[in-house]
Structures are given as C-alpha cells and as structure tokens.
Amino acid sequence: MAEVSAFIRNMPKAELHVHLEGTLEGDLLLVIAERNNISLPFDDPDGIRRMQNETKTGLTNNLVNFLRCLDICREAMRTAQDYYDTAMAFVRKSAAENVVYLEVTFDVQQAIRQGVPLAECIEALSRVRREAKRDYDIEIRWIACFQRDHPVQNAMETLNLLDPHRDEIVGIGLDNFETPNFPALFAPVMAAARDRGYRLTSHCDVNQPESLAHIRDCVDLLGVERIDHGLNTAQDITLVKKIVSQRIALTGCPTFHVSMTSAPSDRVEMIRTLFDAGALISLNTDDPAQFGSGYLNRTLAACQAAAGFTDEDMIRFMRNTFESAWIDDRARSGYLERLDRFRDTSARAVS
Ligand code: HPA
Ligand code: ZN
C-alpha cells in the first residue's frame, strides 16, 4: 500500500466521479439496514468489502459482481434520512482529506423504486450541499444517474420528474451495465436532458464488450462532455486524438477492483498513455467504500506510485479535474489559482 505523502495530503483536491451509494461504509450500512428492517448477508462492517473482493473473477465479470455487491448497499437505502446520513459521512471524510469540490452521482431511479419520495430525497441532498459549504467549505454539485439496465422509458419519465428540482442537479449520467446498443438507445433521453440545460456524462467502464465503439458513440450520438472511466480510449490512437481535440474529459478511477494492494497495471498503463497524450483525464474514487482501495488521498498515492508520476504530474491531474468540473469560469479560476499557490508554496518549502 503506497504511503500518502504530505504533498498529496495537503493539495487542494476535487473529484468528479464518485457514487453516493458507493460511499456507504459498512458500519453505517449496518445501522441503515437495521432501522429499515433489511437483512444483510453479513453482520460485520467489513462484510461488504469481503464480499466484493471474494467475488472478483475475470475482468468482464468484475462489473457484474461489483454491481451485485453494490446493490446490497444501495438497496438498503429506503429513506431521505439514509441519503442524508450517507452523504454527510462522505462529506466529513472528504473534509479530512482536504477536498474542496465534489461532483457526486446518485442513482435517482433506484431511490424512487425503493420508495424514497423524490422531493424528500432531493431536499436531503440539498441540505447536505448547504451544510458542506457552511461547515466544511466544500462545494458539492449533484449528478442524477440513469441506469442503463432499466427501460429507457423509465429514464425519460424520471427526467420529467426532476424538472421541479432542476436547480439542484448539475448534470445527468448513465451507469450500471452497458446494455447492447446503449449509446444509441439513450440518445433521446440525453437530448432531452441537454435541452433542459443539464451537463452530460456517461460511464464507459474499463474492458467492456465494445468499449471503443461505446466511447465513440457516447461522444458522437449522445454528445457527452465527459466519459466516466473511458480508459480503453488509450487503445485507439484515432480516438485519443478525437477526445484530445474535442476536449472530452475522462474521469479515470485507478483503484477500482483493488483489494488493499495497488492499482491494477492495465488501468495504470492506460492512464499513463492518455495523460502523456494530453487528454483531459482526472483521477477519482468511484465507489470508495466498496473495495478498501480508499478515498481520494490513497487513490492518488496508489496511482502515483504505480505509474511513477511526479508531484508536478499530480498537480496536472488535479488541474484536469478543475478544468473538467461543471462550474463557471470564475469559480474555475479560483480553484486553479488555489492549486497554483499550493504548488508554489510546496516548491519553496523544498528548495
Ligand atoms: N460502473 C457502472 N455502474 C456503476 C459504477 C461503475 O463504475 N459505480 C457505480 N455504479
Ligand atoms: Zn462509476
């Protein structure tokens, strides 16, 4: 396990690809499951991570196994209070890591399916956003994610239900399995979301069937500005040039599927290739409670150690994060200046 350096610890940080449900730690999961009368297949806080790591198999199966385990957590969330408690726990963790800005995804259809009134759910998230700013000086923006393994019609209906809450949601994403033909299938929903002014992203998980075609179609058919993961881009030089020239951001997650050791080498190599090619790639945690691969500091440290990135490289990754964030130019300049000041101060301290 890579040590977290003072440099990484003290850097003002942000992340853009993290699922609220994937931040639900085992101890809080037990509390939430008990108050909702839900029985879990384990009774200790480490149960979910154990299950995640024990059911890891082949590369492609990893996503299936991962989502099955994640379902155990996200299916336990039945009230707006569950969303509030989970989100506040994540805010407190992020504050301890010197995180200053977060874009957090939540599976809105899942909340509705599980009986959480949408207005209450959004109000809980709104309260978290305000309290994170007031108590920790962390800026949060919420991304509502639609699940690709549920009917596209349901995504469209959910988009309509979000209309009264438009101001609380910055963007729309797509997650869960990559069903065949998914980019084309979801084009009408994403077009409707764009018409309403939402920013757009979509998952293209690592090493999935048709990864390259899906990445291309997400850009060309869905018009996304970011791809969550999208690392397979590195395997096609034409696609690399396309995402660099169109400034499509990739939210990489180096330690996904890692159990307490280090970042897997194929991911790290793809991240290195994309970084060296000048892609707007950032480093993120995805589902930090699920694998024991840690929150942002440990994720950055593991990736830095595995790929031999310098501290200056890590600053560039964090610049990429702020460059890809869905904020206005004034806020962006503020964060970038803060990062520059940190870099200059650290350089002076070393020299
Ligand atoms: N991929 C797809 N669905 C997800 C993920 C992911 O990385 N995390 C949570 N839901
Ligand atoms: Zn994700």
Side-chain angles (χ1 to χ4, degrees), residues 23 36 49 70-71 82 93 146 149 165 233 240 251 326:
T23 70
N36 292 336
R49 281 209 269 267
L70 181 62
D71 270 337
D82 299 340
K93 283 211 160 58
F146 295 143
D149 51 344
H165 312 289
T233 301
V240 172
T251 61
W326 290 334

Side-chain angles (χ1 to χ4, degrees), residues 108 118 122 144 158-166 169 172 198:
V108 60
L118 181 62
I122 303 284
T158 308
L159 184 70
N160 292 335
L161 292 177
L162 283 171
D163 279 344
H165 312 289
R166 173 67 193 83
I169 310 289
I172 297 293
Y198 289 107

Side-chain angles (χ1 to χ4, degrees), residues 117-282:
L118 181 62
E120 285 181 28
C121 183
I122 303 284
E123 174 47 31
L125 299 182
S126 174
R127 197 147 55 91
V128 171
R129 178 178 59 71
R130 286 176 268 131
E131 291 177 12
K133 183 68 190 161
R134 185 193 67 198
D135 298 341
Y136 301 98
D137 201 20
I138 294 179
E139 196 79 51
I140 299 186
R141 289 194 161 65
W142 296 107
I143 299 172
C145 225
F146 295 143
Q147 297 174 319
R148 292 175 292 209
D149 51 344
H150 286 264
V152 69
Q153 187 56 32
N154 185 256
M156 193 62 104
E157 286 160 12
T158 308
L159 184 70
N160 292 335
L161 292 177
L162 283 171
D163 279 344
H165 312 289
R166 173 67 193 83
D167 291 348
E168 197 58 53
I169 310 289
V170 69
I172 297 293
L174 297 173
D175 67 0
N176 274 13
F177 306 110
E178 293 176 29
T179 48
N181 202 21
F182 98 76
L185 195 64
F186 280 83
V189 182
M190 296 304 254
R194 190 181 23 258
D195 284 348
R196 288 158 157 91
Y198 289 107
R199 315 299 295 265
L200 302 182
T201 185
S202 173
H203 277 67
C204 286
D205 276 86
V206 182
N207 296 333
Q208 296 305 299
E210 305 296 332
S211 273
L212 291 172
H214 286 177
I215 293 166
R216 237 177 265 121
D217 286 353
C218 279
V219 175
D220 293 339
L221 301 180
L222 303 186
V224 300
E225 307 159 71
R226 297 203 307 236
I227 305 243
D228 293 315
H229 302 291
L231 299 185
N232 290 90
T233 301
Q235 296 164 334
D236 179 339
I237 183 64
T238 311
L239 194 52
V240 172
K241 286 185 181 152
K242 182 183 174 75
I243 65 112
V244 170
S245 67
Q246 293 186 221
R247 284 181 62 80
I248 303 296
L250 304 176
T251 61
C253 303
T255 57
F256 185 81
H257 297 316
V258 177
S259 111
M260 315 299 282
T261 52
S262 62
S265 61
D266 65 333
R267 275 178 191 242
V268 169
E269 275 165 31
M270 291 191 273
I271 288 170
R272 164 59 85 181
T273 301
L274 291 161
F275 181 78
D276 289 347
L280 202 51
I281 180 167
S282 59

Side-chain angles (χ1 to χ4, degrees), residues 102-115:
L102 289 167
E103 285 177 18
V104 186
T105 287
F106 68 107
D107 285 317
V108 60
Q109 291 154 296
Q110 182 127 19
I112 295 170
R113 274 201 309 275
Q114 289 167 191

